[in-house]
Amino acid sequence: MTPPEPVTDRAPVTHRVPVSVAVIGAGVSGLCMGLKLKAAGIEDFVLYDKAEDVGGVWRDNTYPGLSCDIPSRTYCYSFAPNPEWNALFSTGPEILRYLQRTATDHGLRPHLRTGTHITRATFTDGRWTLETSTGETRAFDFLLCATGLLVHPTVPDLPGADTFRGRAFHSARWDHTVQTTGQKIAIVGTGSTGVQLTCALTPHAGRLMLFQRTPQWVLPKPNKRISALAKAVHRRRPALARLTDPLWRLAFETTISKAAVTPGWQRTLLTYACRIALLRIRSTGLRRRMTPDHPPLCKRLVVASGFHRAVQQPHVDVISTPIARITPRGLLTTDGHEHEADLIVWATGFQADAYMRPLHITGPHGRTLDDAWARGPRSYNTVALPGFPNLFLLVGPNSPFSGEAVIRTAETQADYILQWIDLFARGVISRTTPTREATDAFNAAIATALPNTAFTGGCSSWYQDQNGTPLVWPWPVHTHRTLLSRIHHPDFHTLPGPAATHGPSALAGGDPA
Ligand code: N01
């Protein structure tokens, strides 16, 4: 197929077409998009969230021990450095406060529609009509989905679950009325959440049982506190943060993040570090049971301090026999042993490949997102979908989930999306959607690169879609930034806007993909 003639962007900057934008989700990436829109002088946008405040996962997760596994200095927007971080790795509440404060300080609050659940988005008459759970509708020129990844908790469907007489909930729905001190606590799952919970609850629990289905590699983190003096210096000299924050990022990207995508010394070193960390477990039997059979970084690496110490406490048991059922008194494992518990915490992760769903998205010609993703979620360059005009994704399929802080990925994607919104506002284009060919080429390149990565090392993880394909960025993260630094026009079907300097291009009523 011949690519459409590129739309020229030489329209006069003074010619402004009103543009309205809906952003769904006010977590890290939605807030980022809102902040960028605001900075670009676009005022007609609404930031929807079904919850009552901003913050996404940092609002929803309030479990004891919640903290970030990425250095704080790389976990803030480049345009809003935070001199107030208390430690090298921040706690969840601290990050939430940062996001809330940034939303307020940058004037985002008037654009927020919290407590509003968008159930349907339909492309009609060249615009996206959004419908809320209360039946309200509103049309927008652009639909930006910032609905997050780790949103839909998964709880195993075990027989007898409704007979349990204690309390049970998912880690992302922590019930703060529950008393944990002196209690018999069962934690199911050994991902980042299960590990953080184990570290936090061990000192107070009467008994702690950690149910491990698959051992995980756990890398200890040195969590140094940031002194009042260092904070004061950063407060007074913001330029210092602008200078040093990129160095933190560079250090992360050239080590852990590189190790995940390219075989080399970084991966070898990390493997040794993980193996050495395991030696902290003195009992050879326990160490053997807790040694993963997949390489580090295949699953998301767990970064936490104190875990190996915690699991060796006399009142802590790591139980690796599968759970057969839940009983009124606890958990019955397949060896016939009943483990009595007062509290069961499901640290069993999320359905990450749901992305925007269950939101019903219908593009031109009645094509739905479920149709488009019947064989698994696929995107064009992580940000767009063929057949869905003027719709963009933040932290969509194949975004760099493990290579950099999601806050940075969102910035790269928001800047890219803004380029399209700018072309619309200048009257250069009125509609855009990536071609199927360009999307297929992107996904074919990913399939070729994946075997080089650690993500295909024979484990199962939340990175994977329903077919077991990791939906990750398989190259060094800087290539994501380079790819999205400018629009590659031949990859798109576009309809010209009122100020375009040539006739209509390929798209008429949507990409008939
Ligand atoms: O979830 P997970 P998570 N029976 O999917 C087990 C981010 N995060 O909430 O490995 C028994 O990693 C499952 O076992 P297996 C971070 O990116 C960040 O811990 O599938 N066990 C696994 O052990 C992280 O990667 C921070 O065999 C069952 C666990 O549950 C992501 O969130 C903090 C089971 C799920 O692990 C998700 O972490 C916390 C069953 N039926 C989280 N089903 C930060 O610091 C599942 N499991 C930013």
Side-chain angles (χ1 to χ4, degrees):
M1 176 184 162
T2 319
E5 184 191 350
V7 170
T8 172
D9 60 358
R10 288 194 212 107
V13 184
T14 47
H15 186 122
R16 294 208 63 97
V17 175
V19 55
S20 59
V21 182
V23 184
I24 306 182
V28 163
S29 62
L31 283 179
C32 178
M33 193 68 240
L35 294 163
K36 294 269 182 186
L37 286 165
K38 190 109 189 132
I42 291 159
E43 283 296 327
D44 187 4
F45 70 93
V46 182
L47 197 47
Y48 291 102
D49 202 292
K50 58 182 182 304
E52 293 302 333
D53 199 4
V54 302
V57 292
W58 298 109
R59 174 203 58 220
D60 294 345
N61 285 273
T62 60
Y63 62 79
L66 172 67
S67 75
C68 192
D69 54 6
I70 292 201
S72 328
R73 297 296 297 280
T74 69
Y75 209 90
C76 51
Y77 300 114
S78 62
F79 50 86
N82 182 18
E84 308 303 333
W85 297 125
N86 286 317
L88 200 54
F89 295 88
S90 316
T91 62
E94 223 186 322
I95 295 171
L96 180 60
R97 281 197 298 278
Y98 165 74
L99 295 173
Q100 290 168 328
R101 195 173 60 238
T102 306
T104 306
D105 292 352
H106 289 251
L108 219 48
R109 298 274 172 191
H111 296 274
L112 278 171
R113 282 286 305 278
T114 51
T116 306
H117 191 177
I118 304 295
T119 52
R120 204 167 281 283
T122 311
F123 193 78
T124 29
D125 300 329
R127 302 183 88 203
W128 284 100
T129 299
L130 266 53
E131 192 179 322
T132 69
S133 54
T134 54
E136 283 173 61
T137 59
R138 187 177 159 186
F140 294 88
D141 299 309
F142 282 88
L143 171 60
L144 312 183
C145 297
T147 42
L149 261 186
L150 304 169
V151 177
H152 307 289
T154 52
V155 173
D157 186 17
L158 286 165
D162 52 347
T163 65
F164 181 56
R165 284 202 294 263
R167 306 286 285 274
F169 45 78
H170 189 272
S171 54
R173 301 287 180 269
W174 195 267
D175 179 346
H176 288 274
T177 64
V178 162
Q179 175 64 260
T180 53
T181 306
Q183 300 291 294
K184 293 192 278 283
I185 304 171
I187 298 172
V188 184
T190 49
S192 303
T193 304
V195 167
Q196 289 186 350
L197 274 166
T198 302
C199 298
L201 295 178
T202 291
H204 318 287
R207 184 173 176 224
L208 193 139
M209 294 153 279
L210 178 61
F211 288 83
Q212 169 193 273
R213 186 166 69 178
T214 311
Q216 300 254 17
W217 292 106
V218 180
L219 196 66
K221 64 180 182 193
N223 203 8
K224 202 171 142 357
R225 293 209 56 84
I226 296 174
S227 69
L229 178 67
K231 283 201 257 182
V233 170
H234 272 102
R235 222 174 283 131
R236 284 182 188 197
R237 296 270 179 273
L240 198 62
R242 278 194 287 277
L243 205 69
T244 54
D245 286 5
L247 295 179
W248 276 98
R249 229 173 28 252
L250 191 68
F252 188 75
E253 285 178 16
T254 49
T255 54
I256 292 196
S257 134
K258 192 82 184 289
V261 292
T262 325
W265 65 265
Q266 291 94 338
R267 201 180 286 178
T268 310
L269 203 65
L270 193 85
T271 305
Y272 276 121
C274 287
R275 288 198 174 276
I276 289 168
L278 255 184
L279 294 176
R280 292 174 184 206
I281 301 179
R282 289 183 301 275
S283 150
T284 43
L286 180 61
R287 196 187 318 137
R288 197 175 323 111
R289 275 198 297 130
M290 295 190 72
T291 303
D293 63 359
H294 55 267
L297 293 167
C298 183
K299 288 170 177 284
R300 166 80 174 219
L301 188 66
V302 179
V303 184
S305 284
F307 178 64
H308 294 127
R309 192 169 53 243
V311 294
Q312 295 179 85
Q313 299 298 307
H315 66 301
V316 176
D317 284 308
V318 177
I319 298 157
S320 40
T321 312
I323 304 164
R325 60 177 296 117
I326 306 297
T327 68
R329 295 194 309 174
L331 301 91
L332 184 76
T333 41
T334 52
D335 55 4
H337 193 109
E338 188 181 40
H339 305 267
E340 274 186 43
D342 303 307
L343 168 64
I344 302 174
V345 183
W346 301 109
T348 39
F350 302 85
Q351 196 201 338
D353 71 346
Y355 293 99
M356 301 86 96
R357 296 166 290 182
L359 169 62
H360 294 282
I361 298 184
T362 308
H365 317 303
R367 184 172 164 78
T368 66
L369 181 67
D370 284 342
D371 294 337
W373 281 359
R375 287 191 291 158
R378 297 291 180 270
S379 67
Y380 163 81
N381 289 4
T382 74
V383 282
L385 300 174
F388 293 86
N390 294 9
L391 181 152
F392 289 95
L393 314 174
L394 288 116
V395 196
N398 296 103
S399 294
F401 307 138
S402 76
E404 67 180 353
V406 68
I407 209 158
R408 290 292 166 170
T409 303
E411 268 196 53
T412 302
Q413 294 171 334
D415 284 337
Y416 176 83
I417 295 165
L418 262 184
Q419 294 181 50
W420 279 113
I421 295 176
D422 182 57
L423 287 180
F424 183 101
R426 288 195 285 145
V428 179
I429 61 124
S430 61
R431 212 179 290 182
T432 180
T433 181
T435 65
R436 183 152 299 283
E437 290 78 4
T439 306
D440 288 348
F442 172 66
N443 285 286
I446 284 184
T448 307
L450 270 176
N452 264 332
T453 69
F455 310 117
T456 47
C459 65
S460 74
S461 80
W462 64 262
Y463 292 152
Q464 296 161 352
D465 69 5
Q466 68 220 45
N467 310 310
T469 306
L471 297 173
V472 290
W473 185 256
W475 302 286
V477 279
H478 69 84
T479 59
H480 184 247
R481 291 194 287 269
T482 307
L483 186 73
L484 294 187
S485 60
R486 52 181 283 276
I487 292 170
H488 188 56
H489 287 285
D491 287 354
F492 283 84
H493 295 298
T494 46
L495 269 186
T501 54
H502 64 76
S505 154
L507 185 78
D511 177 7

